[in-house]
Amino acid sequence: LETELINAIGAAETVAALEEVRVAALGKSGSISLLLKGMGQLSPDERRERGPVLNGLRDRVTTALNARKADLEASELNARLLTERVDLTLPSRPRRKGGVHPTMQVMDEMIAIFAEMGFAVAEGPDIEDDFHNFTALNFPPKHPAREMHDTFFLKPDAETGERKVLRTHTSPVQVRTMMSQKPPIRIIAPGRTFRKDSDATHTPMFHQIEGLVIDRDVNMGHLKTTLETFMARFFELDDVQARFRPHHFPFTEPSAEMDIRCDRSGGKLVLNTGEDWLEILGCGMVHPNVLIACGLDPDEYQGFAFGMGVDRLAMLKYGVSDLRPMFDADTRWLAHYGFSA
Ligand code: PHE
């Protein structure tokens, strides 16, 4: 019986087959179990003689079963490891993930360039009061920009009658900065701005970056150099050909708009050649009335300020022709311009 069982154990090719052998020998009615049970009918002498023999048989078969089981389990595990091996050199499956909005990418680029030029970032609220958005910036009481046409007004406060606005530009941050810190001041103020306007190049919500420098002996030359240096870096050119065209803003005097030379005849924008001029921002020397409204002495301090449309500059840099889809959150559009993962 022992040889028979040991052979069967050796022949079992799987853990399951081995288990069958074990049940046939040591299970409830297995061959060894029956022999052991049969001991009850024997005389004490016979029992003393056969007992050790049967126990020895049972122990050797159990040992053989366990050894074979360990072998089979090890080789089954090896087989599984082989077939289920993970190939770490395979490229991972691409996962859908969000991306940074084009406007915000451009905003971040701009902030980084200004940071290298020594500008700190200042912020102000999207919901402004009339004082910071208009009055302190030297808007005359009947200035057209205050009217419903451009400005989103909030419902007047029931008690005070005060009518807040969604800021129409980032210039109120100039006022907040001048009123809260002493010169020298060298800040940019990136943020959202709002006007009742919607066409291919205007959306009711858009983004601006304001710049403000206040110190002694600041002049228009500083303003030009700062903006030309910035634009060259932004458009990744050695320099940009720019012109400063006289303009009017209530809060700067003199005021100018900065244009850069470009050629759009080929349907594509090429900078620094051609006869076209592209308007890119408004700027000027801070008006003495603004300095006074902010508690500064215009005889002691001067400064310059500028404001540029971030979305517009993003359109130019990336060749987008219509501003409105920028804010439609259509991932196909974003992907087309390479803005999503
Ligand atoms: N605030 C102006 C605008 O929104 C831009 C500007 C800023 C002009 C600072 C001059 C100085 O059009």
PDB file of all heavy atoms in Angstrom, residues 168-171 174 195 208 210-211 249 251-252 282-284 305-308, ligand 1:
ATOM      1  N   THR A 168     -14.214  97.359 -14.449  1.00  0.00           N
ATOM      2  CA  THR A 168     -14.145  97.431 -15.902  1.00  0.00           C
ATOM      3  C   THR A 168     -12.705  97.371 -16.392  1.00  0.00           C
ATOM      4  O   THR A 168     -12.450  97.281 -17.590  1.00  0.00           O
ATOM      5  CB  THR A 168     -14.795  98.735 -16.409  1.00  0.00           C
ATOM      6  OG1 THR A 168     -14.130  99.839 -15.765  1.00  0.00           O
ATOM      7  CG2 THR A 168     -16.272  98.774 -16.060  1.00  0.00           C
ATOM      8  N   HIS A 169     -11.767  97.458 -15.454  1.00  0.00           N
ATOM      9  CA  HIS A 169     -10.337  97.337 -15.769  1.00  0.00           C
ATOM     10  C   HIS A 169      -9.594  96.985 -14.480  1.00  0.00           C
ATOM     11  O   HIS A 169     -10.197  96.948 -13.402  1.00  0.00           O
ATOM     12  CB  HIS A 169      -9.790  98.624 -16.410  1.00  0.00           C
ATOM     13  CG  HIS A 169     -10.127  99.898 -15.672  1.00  0.00           C
ATOM     14  ND1 HIS A 169      -9.746 101.134 -16.100  1.00  0.00           N
ATOM     15  CD2 HIS A 169     -10.799 100.121 -14.500  1.00  0.00           C
ATOM     16  CE1 HIS A 169     -10.170 102.064 -15.258  1.00  0.00           C
ATOM     17  NE2 HIS A 169     -10.815 101.472 -14.284  1.00  0.00           N
ATOM     18  N   THR A 170      -8.294  96.694 -14.594  1.00  0.00           N
ATOM     19  CA  THR A 170      -7.532  96.373 -13.382  1.00  0.00           C
ATOM     20  C   THR A 170      -6.932  97.623 -12.749  1.00  0.00           C
ATOM     21  O   THR A 170      -6.255  97.541 -11.717  1.00  0.00           O
ATOM     22  CB  THR A 170      -6.401  95.359 -13.701  1.00  0.00           C
ATOM     23  OG1 THR A 170      -5.807  95.682 -14.955  1.00  0.00           O
ATOM     24  CG2 THR A 170      -6.951  93.930 -13.754  1.00  0.00           C
ATOM     25  N   SER A 171      -7.204  98.803 -13.338  1.00  0.00           N
ATOM     26  CA  SER A 171      -6.636 100.040 -12.786  1.00  0.00           C
ATOM     27  C   SER A 171      -7.012 100.342 -11.330  1.00  0.00           C
ATOM     28  O   SER A 171      -6.217 100.976 -10.630  1.00  0.00           O
ATOM     29  CB  SER A 171      -6.979 101.224 -13.696  1.00  0.00           C
ATOM     30  OG  SER A 171      -6.455 101.010 -14.994  1.00  0.00           O
ATOM     31  N   GLN A 174      -4.282  99.831  -8.963  1.00  0.00           N
ATOM     32  CA  GLN A 174      -3.315 100.933  -8.798  1.00  0.00           C
ATOM     33  C   GLN A 174      -3.657 101.737  -7.554  1.00  0.00           C
ATOM     34  O   GLN A 174      -2.798 102.025  -6.723  1.00  0.00           O
ATOM     35  CB  GLN A 174      -3.408 101.911  -9.969  1.00  0.00           C
ATOM     36  CG  GLN A 174      -2.828 101.485 -11.298  1.00  0.00           C
ATOM     37  CD  GLN A 174      -2.878 102.663 -12.275  1.00  0.00           C
ATOM     38  OE1 GLN A 174      -2.631 103.816 -11.899  1.00  0.00           O
ATOM     39  NE2 GLN A 174      -3.199 102.378 -13.531  1.00  0.00           N
ATOM     40  N   ARG A 195     -16.905  93.957 -19.075  1.00  0.00           N
ATOM     41  CA  ARG A 195     -17.587  95.047 -19.793  1.00  0.00           C
ATOM     42  C   ARG A 195     -18.700  94.465 -20.635  1.00  0.00           C
ATOM     43  O   ARG A 195     -18.583  93.338 -21.132  1.00  0.00           O
ATOM     44  CB  ARG A 195     -16.607  95.789 -20.719  1.00  0.00           C
ATOM     45  CG  ARG A 195     -15.687  96.723 -19.967  1.00  0.00           C
ATOM     46  CD  ARG A 195     -14.764  97.471 -20.906  1.00  0.00           C
ATOM     47  NE  ARG A 195     -13.553  97.836 -20.183  1.00  0.00           N
ATOM     48  CZ  ARG A 195     -12.500  98.422 -20.719  1.00  0.00           C
ATOM     49  NH1 ARG A 195     -12.501  98.719 -22.013  1.00  0.00           N
ATOM     50  NH2 ARG A 195     -11.449  98.717 -19.998  1.00  0.00           N
ATOM     51  N   GLN A 208      -6.993  91.257 -17.750  1.00  0.00           N
ATOM     52  CA  GLN A 208      -5.991  92.291 -17.962  1.00  0.00           C
ATOM     53  C   GLN A 208      -4.807  92.082 -17.028  1.00  0.00           C
ATOM     54  O   GLN A 208      -4.932  91.432 -15.982  1.00  0.00           O
ATOM     55  CB  GLN A 208      -6.575  93.687 -17.655  1.00  0.00           C
ATOM     56  CG  GLN A 208      -7.547  94.203 -18.695  1.00  0.00           C
ATOM     57  CD  GLN A 208      -7.892  95.668 -18.464  1.00  0.00           C
ATOM     58  OE1 GLN A 208      -7.770  96.200 -17.357  1.00  0.00           O
ATOM     59  NE2 GLN A 208      -8.323  96.344 -19.526  1.00  0.00           N
ATOM     60  N   GLU A 210      -2.359  94.831 -15.228  1.00  0.00           N
ATOM     61  CA  GLU A 210      -2.052  96.234 -14.988  1.00  0.00           C
ATOM     62  C   GLU A 210      -0.603  96.319 -14.539  1.00  0.00           C
ATOM     63  O   GLU A 210      -0.103  95.392 -13.894  1.00  0.00           O
ATOM     64  CB  GLU A 210      -2.963  96.708 -13.831  1.00  0.00           C
ATOM     65  CG  GLU A 210      -2.975  98.185 -13.622  1.00  0.00           C
ATOM     66  CD  GLU A 210      -3.915  98.875 -14.603  1.00  0.00           C
ATOM     67  OE1 GLU A 210      -4.666  98.174 -15.304  1.00  0.00           O
ATOM     68  OE2 GLU A 210      -3.881 100.113 -14.658  1.00  0.00           O
ATOM     69  N   GLY A 211       0.041  97.417 -14.867  1.00  0.00           N
ATOM     70  CA  GLY A 211       1.382  97.639 -14.323  1.00  0.00           C
ATOM     71  C   GLY A 211       1.437  99.009 -13.685  1.00  0.00           C
ATOM     72  O   GLY A 211       0.774  99.952 -14.154  1.00  0.00           O
ATOM     73  N   PHE A 249      -6.535 108.697 -21.638  1.00  0.00           N
ATOM     74  CA  PHE A 249      -7.153 108.008 -20.504  1.00  0.00           C
ATOM     75  C   PHE A 249      -7.282 109.047 -19.398  1.00  0.00           C
ATOM     76  O   PHE A 249      -6.384 109.883 -19.245  1.00  0.00           O
ATOM     77  CB  PHE A 249      -6.284 106.839 -20.000  1.00  0.00           C
ATOM     78  CG  PHE A 249      -6.060 105.750 -21.015  1.00  0.00           C
ATOM     79  CD1 PHE A 249      -4.843 105.640 -21.672  1.00  0.00           C
ATOM     80  CD2 PHE A 249      -7.074 104.846 -21.313  1.00  0.00           C
ATOM     81  CE1 PHE A 249      -4.634 104.627 -22.608  1.00  0.00           C
ATOM     82  CE2 PHE A 249      -6.867 103.842 -22.261  1.00  0.00           C
ATOM     83  CZ  PHE A 249      -5.643 103.728 -22.901  1.00  0.00           C
ATOM     84  N   PHE A 251      -6.837 108.730 -16.337  1.00  0.00           N
ATOM     85  CA  PHE A 251      -5.911 108.527 -15.205  1.00  0.00           C
ATOM     86  C   PHE A 251      -4.441 108.622 -15.579  1.00  0.00           C
ATOM     87  O   PHE A 251      -3.572 108.408 -14.734  1.00  0.00           O
ATOM     88  CB  PHE A 251      -6.203 107.179 -14.539  1.00  0.00           C
ATOM     89  CG  PHE A 251      -6.605 106.098 -15.521  1.00  0.00           C
ATOM     90  CD1 PHE A 251      -5.659 105.274 -16.097  1.00  0.00           C
ATOM     91  CD2 PHE A 251      -7.947 105.955 -15.889  1.00  0.00           C
ATOM     92  CE1 PHE A 251      -6.037 104.300 -17.012  1.00  0.00           C
ATOM     93  CE2 PHE A 251      -8.329 104.981 -16.815  1.00  0.00           C
ATOM     94  CZ  PHE A 251      -7.380 104.154 -17.379  1.00  0.00           C
ATOM     95  N   THR A 252      -4.144 108.921 -16.840  1.00  0.00           N
ATOM     96  CA  THR A 252      -2.743 109.125 -17.222  1.00  0.00           C
ATOM     97  C   THR A 252      -2.611 110.389 -18.055  1.00  0.00           C
ATOM     98  O   THR A 252      -3.524 110.772 -18.780  1.00  0.00           O
ATOM     99  CB  THR A 252      -2.188 107.919 -18.034  1.00  0.00           C
ATOM    100  OG1 THR A 252      -3.140 107.544 -19.016  1.00  0.00           O
ATOM    101  CG2 THR A 252      -1.876 106.737 -17.137  1.00  0.00           C
ATOM    102  N   GLY A 282      -2.702 100.040 -23.452  1.00  0.00           N
ATOM    103  CA  GLY A 282      -2.803 101.452 -23.101  1.00  0.00           C
ATOM    104  C   GLY A 282      -1.833 101.749 -21.971  1.00  0.00           C
ATOM    105  O   GLY A 282      -1.572 100.895 -21.124  1.00  0.00           O
ATOM    106  N   CYS A 283      -1.287 102.975 -21.983  1.00  0.00           N
ATOM    107  CA  CYS A 283      -0.303 103.299 -20.950  1.00  0.00           C
ATOM    108  C   CYS A 283      -0.179 104.812 -20.798  1.00  0.00           C
ATOM    109  O   CYS A 283      -0.797 105.574 -21.535  1.00  0.00           O
ATOM    110  CB  CYS A 283       1.046 102.695 -21.311  1.00  0.00           C
ATOM    111  SG  CYS A 283       1.694 103.272 -22.896  1.00  0.00           S
ATOM    112  N   GLY A 284       0.631 105.233 -19.862  1.00  0.00           N
ATOM    113  CA  GLY A 284       0.875 106.662 -19.700  1.00  0.00           C
ATOM    114  C   GLY A 284       1.506 106.961 -18.360  1.00  0.00           C
ATOM    115  O   GLY A 284       1.764 106.059 -17.564  1.00  0.00           O
ATOM    116  N   ALA A 305       1.986 103.857 -15.730  1.00  0.00           N
ATOM    117  CA  ALA A 305       1.057 102.737 -15.596  1.00  0.00           C
ATOM    118  C   ALA A 305       0.746 102.205 -16.984  1.00  0.00           C
ATOM    119  O   ALA A 305       0.901 102.912 -17.986  1.00  0.00           O
ATOM    120  CB  ALA A 305      -0.220 103.176 -14.896  1.00  0.00           C
ATOM    121  N   PHE A 306       0.371 100.948 -17.023  1.00  0.00           N
ATOM    122  CA  PHE A 306      -0.053 100.368 -18.299  1.00  0.00           C
ATOM    123  C   PHE A 306      -1.085  99.289 -18.019  1.00  0.00           C
ATOM    124  O   PHE A 306      -1.169  98.756 -16.910  1.00  0.00           O
ATOM    125  CB  PHE A 306       1.138  99.804 -19.085  1.00  0.00           C
ATOM    126  CG  PHE A 306       1.980  98.814 -18.314  1.00  0.00           C
ATOM    127  CD1 PHE A 306       1.627  97.468 -18.254  1.00  0.00           C
ATOM    128  CD2 PHE A 306       3.125  99.240 -17.641  1.00  0.00           C
ATOM    129  CE1 PHE A 306       2.401  96.569 -17.543  1.00  0.00           C
ATOM    130  CE2 PHE A 306       3.905  98.337 -16.920  1.00  0.00           C
ATOM    131  CZ  PHE A 306       3.555  96.997 -16.866  1.00  0.00           C
ATOM    132  N   GLY A 307      -1.884  98.986 -19.034  1.00  0.00           N
ATOM    133  CA  GLY A 307      -2.869  97.923 -18.893  1.00  0.00           C
ATOM    134  C   GLY A 307      -2.986  97.186 -20.212  1.00  0.00           C
ATOM    135  O   GLY A 307      -3.109  97.812 -21.267  1.00  0.00           O
ATOM    136  N   MET A 308      -2.878  95.869 -20.144  1.00  0.00           N
ATOM    137  CA  MET A 308      -2.950  95.106 -21.401  1.00  0.00           C
ATOM    138  C   MET A 308      -3.968  93.977 -21.286  1.00  0.00           C
ATOM    139  O   MET A 308      -4.204  93.447 -20.208  1.00  0.00           O
ATOM    140  CB  MET A 308      -1.568  94.550 -21.769  1.00  0.00           C
ATOM    141  CG  MET A 308      -0.971  93.606 -20.757  1.00  0.00           C
ATOM    142  SD  MET A 308       0.702  93.094 -21.232  1.00  0.00           S
ATOM    143  CE  MET A 308       1.690  94.440 -20.633  1.00  0.00           C
TER     144      MET A 308
HETATM  145  N1  PHE B   1      -7.272 100.775 -17.817  1.00  0.00           N
HETATM  146  C1  PHE B   1      -7.064 101.014 -19.215  1.00  0.00           C
HETATM  147  C2  PHE B   1      -8.072 100.167 -20.018  1.00  0.00           C
HETATM  148  O1  PHE B   1      -8.662  99.293 -19.484  1.00  0.00           O
HETATM  149  C3  PHE B   1      -5.678 100.649 -19.660  1.00  0.00           C
HETATM  150  C4  PHE B   1      -4.638 101.519 -19.027  1.00  0.00           C
HETATM  151  C5  PHE B   1      -4.060 101.159 -17.847  1.00  0.00           C
HETATM  152  C6  PHE B   1      -4.245 102.713 -19.626  1.00  0.00           C
HETATM  153  C7  PHE B   1      -3.097 101.949 -17.262  1.00  0.00           C
HETATM  154  C8  PHE B   1      -3.286 103.509 -19.064  1.00  0.00           C
HETATM  155  C9  PHE B   1      -2.718 103.126 -17.894  1.00  0.00           C
HETATM  156  O2  PHE B   1      -8.286 100.400 -21.187  1.00  0.00           O
END
